[in-house]
Structure formats: C-alpha cells, structure tokens
Amino acid sequence: MICLVAPSESSDAANRYASDPAPFYGYRGPRANQKIELPFLYLPRGIDNSSGGQLQVHSSKIGPLDGQIVHTSFGTGTMHLLLRDRVGSQWQGAFSPLPGDFRSGAHRARVRPQDGCIYVTGMHGWGSYTPAPGCFQRLRYTGSGAVLPTGFHVHQNGVRIEFSNPIDSSKSQDLSKHFAQCWNYRYSPAYGSREYSVMHEGAMGHDVLNIRSVIVSEDSKSLFLEIPDLQLCSQLHLLLDIGMSKPVELFATVNAMDTPYDSDRLVARNALGKKLPHPMSRDLDYLTKRIANPWQKKLEGAREIQIKAMDNLQFSEKKLQAKPGEVIKLKFVNPDVVPHNWALVQPGRLEQVGDLANKLIGSPEAYLKQYVPDSDAVICFTDIIEPGSEFSIYFKAPEKPGRYPYLCTFPGHWMVMNGILEVGL
C-alpha cells in the first residue's frame, strides 16, 4: 500500500523535517519517545502501487473536478479523485477512481489556462504496468453530467458522502445496491503489509460491514450510510449504486469519527457497536510491549522436531513422541493463509485451555500474549506466527510419562487443530 500525509499540512511538515525529525510518519518502524503523525490516506497496492503526484484543480471548464484534488498513479496509469475530511484537528482522506486510463505511467498533471483542460505526461519505468514508454494526454469534460463524490465525513454511526450533482434517490436508498468492508495494515518496520481483519486482531482478511439504512438528503446531493459497527481503520471500502452506469467506488482511511449522525430516519438509533482503539496504536503496543518468548533460548543437545500447519485447521502431525526429560527443539512452520501457534499443555486440560483461549478474542492485549491464556496448564508455546513464517522453541519434555495435548490457541482453532505429545509411552 501507499501512505499519504495530509495535503494541507504536507509542505509545513517538509519544512519542519528539514531541521527536525518531527513529525514522524512511521518510516522504518517506531522510534523511542517520538509521536507518530497518523497517515492521511492509504492507497491499496492493487489500486496504486507507485504514485505520480497530485494536482489542485482550478478550472470552470473541467466540470465536477473544479476545486478538487486529483492524484495520478505512475504504476497503473490511472487517476483518482482525492477527498479530505477533518474531525476536530485530525485529518483523514479518501479517494475515488476516475474513469479511463493513460498509455503510460501518469506522472505530472497540470491545468492548461488556455482551454481549462488537464494535461498529463507519463513515462514507463520501474513499477509501472502500462503499455507505452511515454505519453502526453488530455483529460477534458464532455458535459455528460457525470456525478462524482466531492466530499465525505465520518461519524461514529456511519459515513456521509457528498456528490457533485443529484443522485437517483430511489436507487440510492436500496440497501442491496451498496457494499461496505474494512481492513487494517500492520504498522511495523517491515516493507509493506498484508491486509488484516479489523474485528479479529491478528487474522488476515476483510470485514464486511452491515449497512443498516441509507438516508438521502432533500436535494439528493448527499447520502448517509448508517453503519453502527464502523471502526477506526486503515481502509474503508465503499461500493455505491447511485443510479449511474457504474457504481461509485470510495476508499477511505478512518483516523477519527465525529459525533453520531442524527436523523429520525435512522434504523439503529443509539445502537453503536463497540469501538476499538486505532489500529496503529494497537500495533505500537505490540511492537513496544511485546513479551519475549521464554522458550527461545537455545538448549544444547536438543533433538529437532518439525511440525507444520496444514489446510482446514490441522497440524501435519497428530502425534509426537519424546522421552521423559528429553531436550526438544520444536520448529513450527506455517505455510497456511492464517496465523497459528503451537502450545503444549498438561494432560486432560485441552478443553479448559482451549475455552480460555477463545475468550481472549475480545481482549486488547491478547495478541501481545500470543493468544495464550494465563493458566498453570500451559507448559510451553510458540509465538503466533504469520503465514509463510516459522518459529522455534526449546524445552525439556515432562519427566512424568503421559499423553500431553498440544493445540493452536488462536481463538476458534483449538477444537480441530490439536494433537498429542506422548512422553515415555
């Protein structure tokens, strides 16, 4: 994904950064005692993998783009409408893809005063998936009555979107015609991030949001999507059928939410879902307060056992064996598409530990503890590891012979993702 800073503050930020490292936008991960400025807007890699630049449009001849900001994509040869929202002192942004594309990587865009059209130059290079080595193209307004989003504002119970022209009121109020989903990016020193669930910390994927009602304004130039479960998130994706030939698509970054939108036409008045902390603050907690795994210290003479996560929430081995007191190096490999761990527990305590693990899903500190519950039944465990990763621990097998269950403690996994370590049997 691509991260943008607030347009209204970017030049000031650049001047300050020249002599002072503040403000800090998160490059190379967290820094001690330094506050992070929240990103203005994330752009999904599939939409824009390499940005060209932005243009503030001032032209009465360019239709609904007059007064707006357009963003060019060098990587995909496209152009997007860039919107701004402010809640208190906090900026956040959204973008909506504009129709058409360019022959080469769109780079510089300018308004030509003589005709009021937008002219774009492009070139081909690293990270650009366009057919031509270069281009010089014009974007003009045909007067076709295009309806574009021109503004948005986030409330605790939904989102209001403003449009350049009246929308089809009857179609816009049909709930089946709209779609909303959200996801987060992981803030870390890593290059890029996978897309993670907002509702289920640590799980990859998107959360579909329930749109309870749609309220169209009297002039039909704005609508409010009632979404009681809306959360602060890296990416909110809306697909809206407002009566045009194609749905309007909007991608927003939600850093802050205003007071609830008030209307007698709301379906779920005063029925807000539980609000979660900002995703970046949760990531900072993980990165700065992460508890070191006590079983990572190497032990001499360890016999290595390897076990993998498999499809359908299974371990590659349902049974492992060890001698009483034997030193073991357990290497856990996760080629699956969801996060997993491996935990060894006392005989007869599988269900108890599994039930405690399921209850951790609502705890904001669960990920810091690797979703392993505080219980004397837990003997040892690996960290929760991401897809495509591996993790090794060292431990001594119990001295007492018996059948010791092992499980994945990521909530909901343990009931099928478990096995037995047989000691001295």
Side-chain angles (χ1 to χ4, degrees):
M1 76 294 187
I2 294 172
C3 170
L4 301 180
V5 300
S8 61
E9 298 176 349
S10 58
S11 60
D12 178 59
N15 291 333
R16 284 187 287 158
Y17 194 84
S19 58
D20 189 333
F24 175 52
Y25 293 102
Y27 176 60
R28 289 184 178 173
R31 299 179 185 178
N33 304 317
Q34 191 162 24
K35 180 183 177 182
I36 293 178
E37 298 285 348
L38 297 180
F40 170 70
L41 174 63
Y42 287 107
L43 283 74
R45 180 176 173 82
I47 302 295
D48 183 9
N49 66 301
S50 183
S51 296
Q54 291 89 36
L55 168 67
Q56 176 73 61
V57 181
H58 296 291
S59 172
S60 59
K61 298 181 180 180
I62 201 68
L65 291 183
D66 185 24
Q68 300 296 320
I69 298 174
V70 294
H71 171 89
T72 59
S73 171
F74 175 78
T76 60
T78 55
M79 184 176 280
H80 314 294
L81 187 59
L82 191 62
L83 308 178
R84 289 175 288 176
D85 179 36
R86 191 172 187 173
V87 178
S89 61
Q90 181 62 59
W91 284 98
Q92 53 201 4
F95 74 94
S96 181
L98 291 170
D101 51 23
F102 298 95
R103 292 283 298 162
S104 194
H107 203 269
R108 299 287 187 264
R110 296 291 185 269
V111 173
R112 183 171 183 261
Q114 288 84 347
D115 60 10
C117 295
I118 296 175
Y119 288 79
V120 177
T121 59
M123 61 181 289
H124 198 241
W126 180 88
S128 181
Y129 303 100
T130 49
C135 69
F136 180 58
Q137 293 178 264
R138 178 183 65 172
L139 180 68
R140 65 186 180 89
Y141 181 55
T142 63
S144 60
V147 179
L148 300 177
T150 56
F152 79 109
H153 192 62
V154 182
H155 295 265
Q156 294 175 20
N157 57 346
V159 185
R160 188 181 76 249
I161 302 103
E162 300 168 357
F163 296 92
S164 58
N165 293 301
I167 61 178
D168 188 318
S169 181
S170 60
K171 284 190 176 181
S172 298
Q173 294 184 74
D174 184 350
L175 292 177
S176 66
K177 300 293 185 181
H178 306 301
F179 174 76
Q181 64 175 339
C182 61
W183 64 91
N184 282 331
Y185 299 113
R186 174 68 48 76
Y187 169 60
S188 76
Y191 184 77
S193 170
R194 294 182 173 92
E195 296 175 357
Y196 290 89
S197 165
V198 175
M199 307 298 184
H200 306 290
E201 178 72 8
M204 287 199 300
H206 297 182
D207 299 302
V208 176
L209 295 170
N210 182 25
I211 302 175
R212 299 295 296 272
S213 67
V214 179
I215 301 172
V216 179
S217 63
E218 291 185 3
D219 62 1
S220 296
K221 294 184 69 174
S222 72
L223 62 78
F224 176 76
L225 299 174
E226 184 186 6
I227 310 175
D229 293 325
L230 182 63
Q231 302 287 344
L232 302 177
C233 59
S234 303
Q235 208 84 78
L236 171 66
H237 178 212
L238 303 175
L239 202 61
L240 311 172
D241 187 344
I242 58 171
M244 303 297 292
S245 58
K246 292 184 178 180
V248 169
E249 196 168 19
L250 201 73
F251 294 84
T253 292
V254 182
N255 290 325
M257 295 184 284
D258 209 342
T259 56
Y261 183 85
D262 189 23
S263 172
D264 292 335
R265 297 159 62 188
L266 293 172
V267 170
R269 290 179 62 85
N270 303 320
L272 292 175
K274 179 183 177 182
K275 301 304 179 185
L276 300 172
H278 192 281
M280 188 171 282
S281 68
R282 287 189 287 173
D283 291 341
L284 279 170
D285 281 341
Y286 174 70
L287 290 167
T288 59
K289 300 178 182 178
R290 182 177 178 273
I291 302 170
N293 190 299
W295 290 280
Q296 278 191 284
K297 184 178 179 180
K298 292 183 179 180
L299 298 178
E300 295 296 329
R303 176 173 66 91
E304 181 173 315
I305 297 176
Q306 181 171 304
I307 188 169
K308 296 181 180 180
M310 305 293 286
D311 294 338
N312 301 317
L313 301 182
Q314 297 290 329
F315 284 118
S316 59
E317 306 292 336
K318 297 294 287 184
K319 183 186 294 185
L320 300 173
Q321 292 182 322
K323 299 176 182 178
E326 183 181 10
V327 179
I328 299 293
K329 175 188 176 182
L330 185 124
K331 183 179 180 181
F332 179 45
V333 182
N334 183 15
D336 199 9
V337 296
V338 293
H340 297 293
N341 74 346
W342 183 93
L344 183 67
V345 300
Q346 296 287 353
R349 305 286 291 276
L350 173 67
E351 291 187 7
Q352 180 189 39
V353 174
D355 183 58
L356 290 172
N358 283 348
K359 293 176 180 177
L360 287 176
I361 197 166
S363 170
E365 300 208 352
Y367 201 77
L368 301 179
K369 298 180 179 180
Q370 310 301 328
Y371 284 107
V372 177
D374 293 325
S375 171
D376 61 357
V378 177
I379 297 172
C380 60
F381 58 87
T382 70
D383 284 5
I384 290 282
I385 61 172
E386 304 296 334
S389 302
E390 60 184 48
F391 194 92
S392 295
I393 59 172
Y394 297 79
F395 67 96
K396 288 186 178 181
E399 295 287 351
K400 183 178 180 180
R403 295 167 58 85
Y404 292 80
Y406 56 81
L407 69 156
C408 172
T409 63
F410 194 89
H413 290 191
W414 73 271
M415 289 175 283
V416 290
M417 197 168 183
N418 60 68
I420 293 292
L421 173 66
E422 292 186 343
V423 177
L425 298 179

